[in-house]
Amino acid sequence: ILVTGEHEDFYESLEGFSTKIMGNGVVDMRYTRLEYCGRRDKVGMYCMHLHLLGQCPECVVQGNAIVDSQQVGVTIHGTHQALIDQNTLWDTRAAGIYTEDGNE
């Protein structure tokens, strides 16, 4: 599976697509390539963002490739017991995998 953002002017606009799973949401993304994502200098606009999901043992981000990111590759914020495993990040312009509060 390939999820791609607009890439004609990606390096000029510094913007790609972003995701935010929040509220009562659940993410299960495995073996997918995400490319041309994230928005430079815009807080919260990351390629993959698990946001304030609380206890989420059913949340899985595994075996993905995140390529050409203008921001953080994967951000985990206020989300606990999620599985973030075997992901490859290439050419992210911020942290690859970031735990926002540090206790996730």
Side-chain angles (χ1 to χ4, degrees):
I1 296 172
L2 171 64
V3 180
T4 188
E6 177 62 48
H7 55 275
E8 290 297 321
D9 66 345
F10 179 73
Y11 297 103
E12 291 78 31
S13 71
L14 307 179
E15 293 190 359
F17 76 88
S18 59
T19 68
K20 186 180 287 187
I21 297 84
M22 57 192 297
N24 294 322
V26 172
V27 62
D28 189 335
M29 182 172 287
R30 302 175 200 224
Y31 308 104
T32 300
R33 178 181 170 121
L34 296 96
E35 62 183 22
Y36 302 109
C37 51
R39 295 181 184 179
R40 179 96 49 105
D41 301 326
K42 295 189 180 176
V43 175
M45 303 306 242
Y46 313 122
C47 293
M48 177 59 60
H49 188 180
L50 285 69
H51 184 76
L52 301 176
L53 295 171
Q55 301 296 323
C56 194
E58 60 274 17
C59 289
V60 177
V61 178
Q62 183 177 41
N64 301 294
I66 297 176
V67 180
D68 285 319
S69 169
Q70 292 290 354
Q71 253 290 8
V72 175
V74 178
T75 295
I76 304 107
H77 179 206
T79 301
H80 309 281
Q81 297 181 334
L83 177 65
I84 312 298
D85 186 46
Q86 300 176 355
N87 296 287
T88 301
L89 296 98
W90 176 259
D91 209 7
T92 59
R93 282 140 185 101
I97 299 175
Y98 175 63
T99 56
E100 196 163 328
D101 293 332
N103 66 352
E104 287 87 358

